[in-house]
Coordinates of all heavy atoms in Angstrom, one line a residue:
W1358 N 52.2 -42.5 -10.1 CA 52.8 -41.4 -9.3 C 54.3 -41.7 -9.1 O 55.1 -40.8 -9.2 CB 52.1 -41.3 -8.0 CG 52.6 -40.2 -7.1 CD1 53.4 -40.3 -6.1 CD2 52.3 -38.8 -7.2 NE1 53.7 -39.1 -5.5 CE2 53.0 -38.1 -6.3 CE3 51.5 -38.0 -8.1 CZ2 53.0 -36.7 -6.1 CZ3 51.5 -36.7 -7.9 CH2 52.2 -36.0 -6.9
A1359 N 54.6 -42.9 -8.8 CA 56.0 -43.3 -8.6 C 56.8 -43.1 -9.9 O 58.1 -42.9 -9.8 CB 56.1 -44.7 -8.0
L1360 N 56.2 -43.3 -11.0 CA 57.0 -43.2 -12.3 C 57.3 -41.8 -12.7 O 58.1 -41.5 -13.5 CB 56.2 -43.9 -13.4 CG 56.0 -45.4 -13.3 CD1 55.1 -45.9 -14.5 CD2 57.4 -46.1 -13.4
L1361 N 56.5 -40.8 -12.0 CA 56.7 -39.4 -12.4 C 58.0 -38.9 -11.7 O 58.4 -39.3 -10.6 CB 55.5 -38.5 -11.9 CG 54.2 -38.8 -12.6 CD1 53.1 -38.0 -11.9 CD2 54.3 -38.4 -14.1
Q1362 N 58.6 -37.9 -12.3 CA 59.8 -37.3 -11.7 C 59.3 -36.3 -10.6 O 58.2 -35.9 -10.7 CB 60.6 -36.5 -12.8 CG 61.2 -37.4 -13.9 CD 61.9 -36.7 -14.9 OE1 62.1 -35.4 -14.8 NE2 62.5 -37.4 -15.9
P1363 N 60.2 -36.0 -9.7 CA 59.8 -35.1 -8.6 C 59.3 -33.7 -9.1 O 58.4 -33.2 -8.5 CB 61.1 -34.9 -7.8 CG 61.9 -36.1 -8.1 CD 61.5 -36.5 -9.5
R1364 N 59.9 -33.2 -10.1 CA 59.5 -32.0 -10.7 C 58.0 -32.1 -11.2 O 57.2 -31.2 -11.0 CB 60.4 -31.6 -11.8 CG 60.1 -30.2 -12.4 CD 61.1 -29.9 -13.5 NE 61.1 -31.0 -14.5 CZ 62.0 -31.0 -15.5 NH1 62.9 -30.1 -15.7 NH2 61.9 -32.0 -16.4
E1365 N 57.7 -33.2 -11.9 CA 56.3 -33.4 -12.4 C 55.3 -33.6 -11.3 O 54.2 -33.1 -11.3 CB 56.3 -34.6 -13.3 CG 57.1 -34.4 -14.6 CD 57.2 -35.7 -15.4 OE1 57.2 -36.8 -14.8 OE2 57.4 -35.6 -16.7
Q1366 N 55.8 -34.3 -10.2 CA 54.9 -34.5 -9.0 C 54.6 -33.1 -8.4 O 53.4 -32.9 -8.0 CB 55.6 -35.4 -8.0 CG 55.7 -36.8 -8.4 CD 56.5 -37.7 -7.4 OE1 57.1 -37.1 -6.4 NE2 56.5 -39.0 -7.6
Q1367 N 55.6 -32.2 -8.3 CA 55.3 -30.9 -7.7 C 54.4 -30.1 -8.6 O 53.5 -29.4 -8.1 CB 56.6 -30.1 -7.5 CG 57.5 -30.6 -6.4 CD 58.8 -29.8 -6.3 OE1 59.2 -29.1 -7.2 NE2 59.5 -30.0 -5.2
L1368 N 54.6 -30.2 -9.9 CA 53.7 -29.5 -10.8 C 52.3 -30.0 -10.7 O 51.3 -29.2 -10.7 CB 54.3 -29.6 -12.2 CG 53.6 -28.8 -13.3 CD1 53.7 -27.3 -13.0 CD2 54.2 -29.1 -14.7
L1369 N 52.1 -31.3 -10.6 CA 50.8 -31.9 -10.4 C 50.1 -31.5 -9.1 O 48.9 -31.2 -9.1 CB 50.9 -33.4 -10.5 CG 49.6 -34.2 -10.8 CD1 48.9 -33.6 -12.1 CD2 49.9 -35.6 -10.9
I1370 N 50.9 -31.4 -8.0 CA 50.4 -31.0 -6.7 C 49.9 -29.6 -6.8 O 48.8 -29.2 -6.3 CB 51.4 -31.2 -5.6 CG1 51.6 -32.7 -5.3 CG2 51.0 -30.5 -4.3 CD1 52.7 -33.1 -4.4
I1371 N 50.8 -28.7 -7.4 CA 50.4 -27.3 -7.5 C 49.1 -27.1 -8.4 O 48.2 -26.3 -8.1 CB 51.6 -26.5 -8.1 CG1 52.7 -26.4 -7.1 CG2 51.1 -25.1 -8.5 CD1 54.0 -25.8 -7.6
G1372 N 49.0 -27.9 -9.5 CA 47.9 -27.8 -10.3 C 46.6 -28.2 -9.6 O 45.5 -27.6 -9.8
V1373 N 46.7 -29.3 -8.8 CA 45.5 -29.8 -8.0 C 45.1 -28.7 -7.0 O 43.9 -28.4 -6.9 CB 45.8 -31.1 -7.3 CG1 44.7 -31.4 -6.3 CG2 45.9 -32.2 -8.4
W1374 N 46.1 -28.0 -6.4 CA 45.8 -27.0 -5.4 C 45.1 -25.8 -6.1 O 44.2 -25.2 -5.6 CB 47.0 -26.5 -4.6 CG 47.3 -27.4 -3.5 CD1 48.3 -28.3 -3.4 CD2 46.6 -27.6 -2.3 NE1 48.3 -29.0 -2.2 CE2 47.2 -28.5 -1.5 CE3 45.4 -27.0 -1.8 CZ2 46.7 -28.9 -0.2 CZ3 44.9 -27.4 -0.5 CH2 45.6 -28.3 0.2
L1375 N 45.7 -25.4 -7.2 CA 45.1 -24.3 -8.0 C 43.6 -24.7 -8.5 O 42.7 -23.8 -8.4 CB 45.9 -23.9 -9.2 CG 47.2 -23.2 -8.9 CD1 48.0 -23.0 -10.2 CD2 46.9 -21.8 -8.3
L1376 N 43.5 -25.9 -8.9 CA 42.1 -26.3 -9.3 C 41.1 -26.3 -8.1 O 40.0 -25.8 -8.3 CB 42.2 -27.7 -9.9 CG 41.0 -28.3 -10.6 CD1 40.6 -27.4 -11.8 CD2 41.1 -29.7 -11.0
L1377 N 41.6 -26.7 -6.9 CA 40.7 -26.7 -5.8 C 40.4 -25.2 -5.4 O 39.3 -24.9 -5.0 CB 41.4 -27.4 -4.6 CG 41.3 -28.9 -4.6 CD1 42.1 -29.5 -3.5 CD2 39.9 -29.4 -4.5
A1378 N 41.4 -24.4 -5.4 CA 41.2 -23.0 -5.1 C 40.2 -22.3 -6.0 O 39.4 -21.5 -5.6 CB 42.6 -22.2 -5.1
T1379 N 40.4 -22.6 -7.3 CA 39.5 -22.1 -8.3 C 38.0 -22.6 -8.1 O 37.1 -21.8 -8.1 CB 39.9 -22.4 -9.7 OG1 41.3 -22.0 -9.9 CG2 39.0 -21.8 -10.8
F1380 N 37.9 -23.8 -7.8 CA 36.6 -24.4 -7.5 C 35.9 -23.7 -6.3 O 34.8 -23.4 -6.3 CB 36.7 -25.9 -7.3 CG 35.4 -26.6 -6.9 CD1 34.5 -26.8 -7.9 CD2 35.2 -27.0 -5.6 CE1 33.3 -27.4 -7.6 CE2 34.0 -27.6 -5.3 CZ 33.0 -27.8 -6.3
V1381 N 36.7 -23.6 -5.2 CA 36.2 -22.9 -4.0 C 35.8 -21.5 -4.3 O 34.7 -21.0 -3.9 CB 37.2 -23.0 -2.9 CG1 36.8 -22.1 -1.7 CG2 37.4 -24.4 -2.4
F1382 N 36.6 -20.7 -5.1 CA 36.3 -19.4 -5.4 C 35.1 -19.3 -6.3 O 34.2 -18.4 -6.0 CB 37.5 -18.7 -6.2 CG 37.3 -17.3 -6.7 CD1 37.3 -16.3 -5.8 CD2 36.9 -17.1 -8.0 CE1 37.1 -15.0 -6.2 CE2 36.7 -15.8 -8.4 CZ 36.8 -14.7 -7.5
V1383 N 34.9 -20.2 -7.2 CA 33.7 -20.2 -8.1 C 32.5 -20.5 -7.3 O 31.4 -20.0 -7.5 CB 33.9 -21.1 -9.3 CG1 32.6 -21.4 -10.0 CG2 34.9 -20.6 -10.2
M1384 N 32.6 -21.3 -6.3 CA 31.4 -21.7 -5.4 C 31.1 -20.6 -4.4 O 29.9 -20.4 -4.1 CB 31.7 -23.0 -4.7 CG 31.8 -24.2 -5.6 SD 30.4 -24.5 -6.7 CE 29.2 -25.0 -5.5
I1385 N 32.1 -19.9 -3.9 CA 31.8 -19.0 -2.8 C 31.6 -17.5 -3.3 O 30.8 -16.8 -2.7 CB 33.0 -19.0 -1.8 CG1 33.0 -20.3 -1.1 CG2 32.9 -17.8 -0.8 CD1 34.2 -20.4 -0.1
S1386 N 32.1 -17.2 -4.5 CA 32.0 -15.8 -5.0 C 30.5 -15.4 -5.2 O 30.2 -14.3 -4.8 CB 32.8 -15.7 -6.3 OG 32.6 -14.5 -6.9
P1387 N 29.7 -16.2 -5.7 CA 28.2 -15.8 -5.9 C 27.6 -15.5 -4.5 O 26.7 -14.6 -4.4 CB 27.6 -16.9 -6.6 CG 28.6 -17.6 -7.3 CD 29.9 -17.5 -6.5
M1388 N 28.0 -16.3 -3.5 CA 27.4 -16.1 -2.2 C 27.8 -14.7 -1.6 O 27.0 -14.0 -1.0 CB 27.9 -17.1 -1.2 CG 27.3 -18.5 -1.5 SD 27.8 -19.6 -0.2 CE 28.3 -21.0 -1.2
F1389 N 29.0 -14.3 -1.8 CA 29.5 -12.9 -1.4 C 28.8 -11.8 -2.2 O 28.4 -10.8 -1.6 CB 31.0 -12.8 -1.5 CG 31.7 -13.5 -0.4 CD1 32.6 -14.5 -0.7 CD2 31.6 -13.1 0.9 CE1 33.3 -15.2 0.4 CE2 32.3 -13.7 2.0 CZ 33.1 -14.8 1.7
E1390 N 28.6 -12.0 -3.5 CA 27.9 -11.1 -4.3 C 26.4 -10.9 -3.8 O 25.9 -9.8 -3.7 CB 27.9 -11.5 -5.8 CG 29.3 -11.3 -6.4 CD 29.4 -11.8 -7.8 OE1 28.3 -12.2 -8.4 OE2 30.5 -11.9 -8.3
K1391 N 25.8 -12.1 -3.6 CA 24.4 -12.0 -3.1 C 24.3 -11.4 -1.8 O 23.3 -10.6 -1.5 CB 23.9 -13.5 -3.0 CG 22.4 -13.6 -2.8 CD 21.6 -13.1 -3.9 CE 20.1 -13.3 -3.7 NZ 19.3 -12.8 -4.8
R1392 N 25.3 -11.6 -0.9 CA 25.3 -11.0 0.4 C 25.4 -9.5 0.3 O 24.7 -8.7 1.0 CB 26.4 -11.6 1.3 CG 26.4 -11.1 2.7 CD 27.4 -11.8 3.5 NE 27.3 -11.5 4.9 CZ 28.0 -10.5 5.5 NH1 28.9 -9.8 4.9 NH2 27.8 -10.3 6.8
A1393 N 26.3 -9.0 -0.6 CA 26.5 -7.6 -0.8 C 25.2 -7.0 -1.4 O 24.8 -5.9 -0.9 CB 27.6 -7.3 -1.7
E1394 N 24.5 -7.7 -2.3 CA 23.3 -7.2 -2.9 C 22.2 -7.1 -1.8 O 21.5 -6.1 -1.7 CB 22.9 -8.1 -4.0 CG 21.6 -7.7 -4.7 CD 21.1 -8.7 -5.7 OE1 22.0 -9.4 -6.3 OE2 19.9 -8.9 -5.8
L1395 N 22.1 -8.1 -1.0 CA 21.1 -8.1 0.1 C 21.4 -7.0 1.1 O 20.4 -6.3 1.6 CB 21.0 -9.4 0.8 CG 20.4 -10.6 -0.1 CD1 20.5 -11.9 0.7 CD2 19.0 -10.3 -0.4
N1396 N 22.7 -6.7 1.4 CA 23.0 -5.6 2.3 C 22.6 -4.3 1.7 O 22.1 -3.4 2.5 CB 24.5 -5.6 2.6 CG 24.9 -6.7 3.7 OD1 24.0 -7.1 4.4 ND2 26.1 -7.1 3.7
L1397 N 22.7 -4.1 0.4 CA 22.3 -2.9 -0.2 C 20.8 -2.7 -0.1 O 20.2 -1.7 0.1 CB 22.7 -2.9 -1.7 CG 24.2 -2.5 -2.0 CD1 24.5 -2.7 -3.5 CD2 24.5 -1.1 -1.6
R1398 N 20.1 -3.8 -0.4 CA 18.6 -3.8 -0.3 C 18.2 -3.5 1.2 O 17.2 -2.7 1.3 CB 18.0 -5.2 -0.7 CG 18.0 -5.4 -2.1 CD 17.5 -6.8 -2.4 NE 16.5 -6.9 -3.3 CZ 15.8 -8.0 -3.7 NH1 16.2 -9.1 -3.1 NH2 14.9 -8.0 -4.5
I1399 N 18.8 -4.1 2.1 CA 18.5 -3.8 3.5 C 18.7 -2.3 3.8 O 17.9 -1.6 4.5 CB 19.4 -4.6 4.5 CG1 18.9 -6.1 4.5 CG2 19.3 -4.1 5.9 CD1 19.8 -7.0 5.2
G1400 N 19.8 -1.7 3.3 CA 20.0 -0.3 3.5 C 18.9 0.6 2.8 O 18.4 1.5 3.4
K1401 N 18.5 0.2 1.6 CA 17.4 0.9 1.0 C 16.1 0.8 1.7 O 15.3 1.8 1.9 CB 17.3 0.4 -0.5 CG 18.4 0.9 -1.4 CD 18.2 0.4 -2.8 CE 19.4 0.8 -3.7 NZ 19.3 0.3 -5.0
V1402 N 15.8 -0.4 2.2 CA 14.5 -0.6 2.9 C 14.6 0.1 4.2 O 13.6 0.7 4.6 CB 14.3 -2.1 3.1 CG1 13.2 -2.4 4.2 CG2 14.0 -2.9 1.8
N1403 N 15.7 0.2 4.9 CA 15.8 0.9 6.1 C 15.6 2.4 5.9 O 15.0 3.1 6.6 CB 17.1 0.7 6.8 CG 17.2 -0.7 7.5 OD1 16.1 -1.2 7.9 ND2 18.3 -1.2 7.7
Q1404 N 16.2 2.9 4.7 CA 15.9 4.3 4.4 C 14.4 4.6 4.1 O 13.9 5.6 4.5 CB 16.7 4.7 3.1 CG 18.2 4.9 3.4 CD 19.0 5.1 2.0 OE1 18.4 4.9 1.0 NE2 20.2 5.6 2.2
D1405 N 13.8 3.7 3.4 CA 12.4 3.8 3.1 C 11.6 3.8 4.4 O 10.6 4.6 4.6 CB 11.9 2.7 2.2 CG 12.4 2.8 0.8 OD1 12.9 3.9 0.5 OD2 12.3 1.9 0.0
I1406 N 11.9 2.9 5.4 CA 11.2 2.9 6.6 C 11.4 4.2 7.4 O 10.4 4.7 8.0 CB 11.7 1.6 7.5 CG1 11.2 0.3 6.8 CG2 11.2 1.7 8.9 CD1 11.7 -0.9 7.4
F1407 N 12.6 4.7 7.4 CA 12.9 5.9 8.1 C 12.1 7.1 7.4 O 11.5 7.9 8.1 CB 14.4 6.3 8.0 CG 14.8 7.5 8.7 CD1 14.8 7.6 10.1 CD2 15.1 8.6 7.9 CE1 15.1 8.8 10.7 CE2 15.5 9.8 8.6 CZ 15.5 9.9 10.0
W1408 N 12.0 7.1 6.1 CA 11.2 8.1 5.4 C 9.7 8.0 5.8 O 9.1 9.0 6.0 CB 11.4 8.0 3.9 CG 10.7 9.0 3.1 CD1 11.0 10.3 2.9 CD2 9.4 8.9 2.6 NE1 10.1 11.0 2.2 CE2 9.0 10.1 1.9 CE3 8.5 7.8 2.5 CZ2 7.8 10.3 1.3 CZ3 7.3 8.0 1.8 CH2 7.0 9.2 1.2
V1409 N 9.2 6.8 5.8 CA 7.8 6.6 6.1 C 7.5 7.0 7.5 O 6.5 7.7 7.8 CB 7.4 5.1 5.9 CG1 6.1 4.8 6.5 CG2 7.4 4.7 4.4
K1410 N 8.4 6.8 8.4 CA 8.2 7.2 9.8 C 8.2 8.7 9.9 O 7.4 9.3 10.6 CB 9.3 6.7 10.7 CG 9.2 5.2 11.1 CD 10.3 4.8 12.0 CE 10.1 3.3 12.3 NZ 11.3 2.8 13.1
E1411 N 9.0 9.4 9.1 CA 9.0 10.9 9.1 C 7.7 11.4 8.4 O 7.2 12.4 8.8 CB 10.2 11.4 8.3 CG 11.5 11.3 9.0 CD 12.6 11.9 8.1 OE1 12.5 11.9 6.9 OE2 13.7 12.2 8.7
Q1412 N 7.2 10.7 7.5 CA 6.0 11.1 6.8 C 4.7 10.5 7.3 O 3.6 10.5 6.7 CB 6.1 10.7 5.3 CG 7.3 11.2 4.6 CD 7.5 12.7 4.6 OE1 6.5 13.4 4.4 NE2 8.7 13.2 4.8
R1413 N 4.7 10.0 8.5 CA 3.6 9.3 9.1 C 2.3 10.1 9.1 O 1.2 9.6 8.8 CB 4.0 8.8 10.5 CG 3.0 7.9 11.1 CD 3.4 7.4 12.4 NE 2.5 7.9 13.4 CZ 2.7 8.0 14.7 NH1 3.9 7.6 15.2 NH2 1.8 8.5 15.5
E1414 N 2.4 11.4 9.5 CA 1.2 12.2 9.6 C 0.5 12.3 8.2 O -0.7 12.2 8.0 CB 1.5 13.6 10.1 CG 1.7 13.6 11.6 CD 2.0 15.0 12.1 OE1 1.6 15.9 11.5 OE2 2.5 15.1 13.3
I1415 N 1.4 12.5 7.2 CA 0.9 12.7 5.8 C 0.2 11.4 5.3 O -0.8 11.4 4.8 CB 2.0 13.1 4.9 CG1 2.5 14.5 5.3 CG2 1.5 13.1 3.4 CD1 3.7 15.0 4.6
I1416 N 0.9 10.3 5.6 CA 0.4 9.0 5.2 C -0.9 8.6 5.9 O -1.8 8.1 5.3 CB 1.5 7.9 5.5 CG1 2.7 8.1 4.5 CG2 0.9 6.5 5.3 CD1 3.9 7.3 4.8
E1417 N -1.0 9.0 7.2 CA -2.3 8.7 7.9 C -3.4 9.5 7.2 O -4.5 9.0 7.1 CB -2.2 9.1 9.3 CG -1.4 8.1 10.1 CD -1.1 8.6 11.6 OE1 -1.5 9.7 11.9 OE2 -0.6 7.8 12.3
R1418 N -3.2 10.7 6.8 CA -4.2 11.5 6.1 C -4.5 10.9 4.7 O -5.6 11.1 4.2 CB -3.8 13.0 5.9 CG -4.0 13.7 7.2 CD -3.7 15.2 7.0 NE -2.3 15.4 7.1 CZ -1.6 16.3 6.5 NH1 -2.2 17.1 5.6 NH2 -0.3 16.5 6.7
L1419 N -3.6 10.2 4.1 CA -3.9 9.6 2.8 C -4.7 8.3 2.9 O -5.0 7.7 1.9 CB -2.5 9.3 2.1 CG -1.7 10.5 1.7 CD1 -0.4 10.1 1.1 CD2 -2.5 11.3 0.7
A1420 N -4.9 7.8 4.1 CA -5.7 6.6 4.3 C -7.0 6.7 3.6 O -7.6 5.7 3.1 CB -5.9 6.3 5.8
N1421 N -7.6 7.8 3.6 CA -8.8 8.1 2.8 C -8.6 9.5 2.2 O -7.8 10.2 2.6 CB -10.1 8.0 3.7 CG -10.2 9.0 4.7 OD1 -9.5 10.1 4.7 ND2 -11.0 8.8 5.8
S1422 N -9.4 9.8 1.2 CA -9.2 11.0 0.5 C -10.1 12.1 1.1 O -10.2 13.2 0.5 CB -9.6 10.8 -0.9 OG -10.9 10.5 -1.1
C1423 N -10.6 12.0 2.3 CA -11.4 13.0 2.9 C -10.6 14.1 3.5 O -9.6 13.8 4.3 CB -12.3 12.3 4.0 SG -13.5 11.2 3.4
P1424 N -10.9 15.3 3.2 CA -10.2 16.4 3.9 C -10.8 16.6 5.3 O -11.8 16.0 5.6 CB -10.6 17.6 3.0 CG -11.9 17.3 2.5 CD -11.8 15.8 2.2
T1425 N -10.0 17.3 6.1 CA -10.6 17.5 7.5 C -11.6 18.6 7.4 O -11.3 19.8 7.1 CB -9.4 17.9 8.4 OG1 -8.7 19.0 7.8 CG2 -8.5 16.8 8.6
I1426 N -12.9 18.2 7.5 CA -14.0 19.2 7.5 C -14.3 19.6 8.9 O -14.6 18.7 9.7 CB -15.2 18.5 6.8 CG1 -14.8 18.1 5.4 CG2 -16.4 19.4 6.8 CD1 -15.9 17.3 4.7
S1427 N -14.3 20.8 9.2 CA -14.7 21.3 10.5 C -16.0 22.0 10.4 O -16.1 23.2 10.1 CB -13.6 22.2 11.1 OG -13.5 23.3 10.3
V1428 N -17.0 21.2 10.8 CA -18.4 21.8 10.9 C -18.8 21.6 12.3 O -18.9 20.4 12.8 CB -19.4 21.1 9.9 CG1 -20.8 21.6 10.1 CG2 -18.9 21.3 8.5
K1429 N -19.1 22.7 13.0 CA -19.5 22.6 14.4 C -21.0 22.4 14.4 O -21.8 23.2 13.9 CB -19.1 23.8 15.2 CG -17.6 23.9 15.3 CD -17.3 25.1 16.1 CE -15.8 25.2 16.2 NZ -15.3 26.4 17.0
A1430 N -21.4 21.3 15.1 CA -22.9 21.0 15.2 C -23.2 20.4 16.5 O -22.3 19.7 17.1 CB -23.3 20.1 14.0
D1431 N -24.4 20.6 17.0 CA -24.8 20.1 18.3 C -25.2 18.7 18.2 O -25.0 17.9 19.1 CB -25.9 21.0 18.9 CG -25.4 22.4 19.2 OD1 -24.2 22.5 19.5 OD2 -26.3 23.3 19.1
S1432 N -25.8 18.3 17.1 CA -26.3 16.9 16.9 C -26.1 16.5 15.5 O -25.6 17.2 14.6 CB -27.8 16.9 17.2 OG -28.6 17.6 16.2
E1433 N -26.4 15.2 15.3 CA -26.3 14.6 13.9 C -27.2 15.4 12.9 O -26.8 15.7 11.8 CB -26.6 13.2 13.9 CG -25.7 12.3 14.8 CD -26.1 10.9 14.9 OE1 -27.2 10.6 14.5 OE2 -25.4 10.1 15.6
R1434 N -28.4 15.7 13.3 CA -29.3 16.4 12.5 C -28.8 17.8 12.1 O -28.9 18.2 11.0 CB -30.7 16.5 13.1 CG -31.3 15.2 13.2 CD -32.6 15.3 14.1 NE -33.2 14.0 14.4 CZ -34.2 13.4 13.7 NH1 -34.7 14.0 12.7 NH2 -34.6 12.2 14.1
D1435 N -28.2 18.5 13.1 CA -27.6 19.8 12.8 C -26.5 19.7 11.8 O -26.3 20.5 10.9 CB -27.1 20.5 14.1 CG -28.2 20.9 15.0 OD1 -29.4 21.0 14.5 OD2 -27.9 21.2 16.2
L1436 N -25.6 18.7 12.0 CA -24.5 18.5 11.1 C -25.0 18.3 9.7 O -24.5 18.9 8.7 CB -23.6 17.4 11.5 CG -22.5 17.0 10.6 CD1 -21.4 18.1 10.6 CD2 -21.8 15.7 11.0
L1437 N -26.0 17.4 9.5 CA -26.5 17.1 8.2 C -27.2 18.3 7.6 O -27.0 18.6 6.4 CB -27.4 15.9 8.2 CG -26.8 14.6 8.6 CD1 -27.8 13.5 8.8 CD2 -25.8 14.2 7.6
T1438 N -27.9 19.1 8.4 CA -28.5 20.3 7.9 C -27.4 21.3 7.4 O -27.6 21.9 6.4 CB -29.3 21.0 9.0 OG1 -30.3 20.0 9.5 CG2 -30.0 22.2 8.6
K1439 N -26.4 21.5 8.2 CA -25.3 22.5 7.8 C -24.6 22.0 6.6 O -24.3 22.8 5.7 CB -24.3 22.6 9.0 CG -25.0 23.5 10.1 CD -24.0 23.6 11.2 CE -24.7 24.4 12.3 NZ -23.8 24.7 13.5
L1440 N -24.4 20.7 6.4 CA -23.7 20.2 5.2 C -24.6 20.4 4.0 O -24.1 20.8 2.9 CB -23.4 18.7 5.3 CG -22.2 18.4 6.3 CD1 -22.1 16.9 6.4 CD2 -20.9 19.0 5.8
A1441 N -25.9 20.2 4.1 CA -26.8 20.5 3.0 C -26.8 22.0 2.6 O -26.8 22.3 1.4 CB -28.2 20.0 3.4
R1442 N -26.8 22.8 3.6 CA -26.8 24.3 3.3 C -25.5 24.7 2.7 O -25.5 25.5 1.8 CB -27.0 25.1 4.6 CG -28.5 25.0 5.1 CD -28.6 25.9 6.3 NE -30.0 25.7 6.9 CZ -30.3 26.0 8.1 NH1 -29.4 26.3 9.0 NH2 -31.6 25.8 8.5
R1443 N -24.4 24.1 3.2 CA -23.1 24.4 2.6 C -23.1 24.1 1.2 O -22.4 24.7 0.4 CB -22.0 23.6 3.4 CG -20.6 23.9 2.9 CD -19.6 23.1 3.6 NE -19.3 23.8 4.8 CZ -18.4 23.3 5.7 NH1 -17.8 22.2 5.5 NH2 -18.1 24.0 6.8
N1444 N -23.8 23.0 0.8 CA -23.8 22.6 -0.6 C -25.0 23.3 -1.4 O -25.3 22.8 -2.5 CB -23.9 21.1 -0.7 CG -22.5 20.5 -0.4 OD1 -21.6 20.6 -1.1 ND2 -22.5 19.9 0.8
Q1445 N -25.6 24.3 -0.8 CA -26.7 25.0 -1.5 C -27.8 24.1 -1.9 O -28.4 24.3 -3.0 CB -26.2 25.8 -2.6 CG -25.1 26.9 -2.2 CD -24.5 27.6 -3.3 OE1 -24.7 27.3 -4.5 NE2 -23.7 28.6 -3.0

Side-chain angles (χ1 to χ4, degrees):
W1358 181 262
L1360 293 175
L1361 294 175
Q1362 294 180 2
R1364 182 179 58 184
E1365 291 171 335
Q1366 288 176 352
Q1367 286 178 348
L1368 189 60
L1369 198 55
I1370 288 172
I1371 291 172
V1373 167
W1374 278 108
L1375 286 174
L1376 190 62
L1377 282 173
T1379 304
F1380 179 74
V1381 168
F1382 178 75
V1383 167
M1384 293 303 289
I1385 291 178
S1386 176
M1388 288 185 227
F1389 283 115
E1390 289 174 9
K1391 188 68 171 178
R1392 185 173 189 264
E1394 180 185 327
L1395 290 174
N1396 283 337
L1397 283 173
R1398 282 174 129 183
I1399 287 172
K1401 288 179 182 177
V1402 168
N1403 284 335
Q1404 285 177 346
D1405 289 345
I1406 289 172
F1407 180 73
W1408 180 84
V1409 166
K1410 284 181 181 178
E1411 286 181 338
Q1412 306 299 321
R1413 191 174 113 199
E1414 286 184 19
I1415 295 169
I1416 291 171
E1417 285 175 355
R1418 279 188 275 147
L1419 293 176
N1421 64 22
S1422 62
C1423 292
T1425 53
I1426 299 171
S1427 61
V1428 176
K1429 294 182 181 179
D1431 295 330
S1432 69
E1433 295 172 357
R1434 292 173 189 262
D1435 288 343
L1436 175 67
L1437 295 172
T1438 302
K1439 288 180 181 182
L1440 288 175
R1442 285 183 185 155
R1443 179 182 278 182
N1444 287 290
Q1445 298 174 353

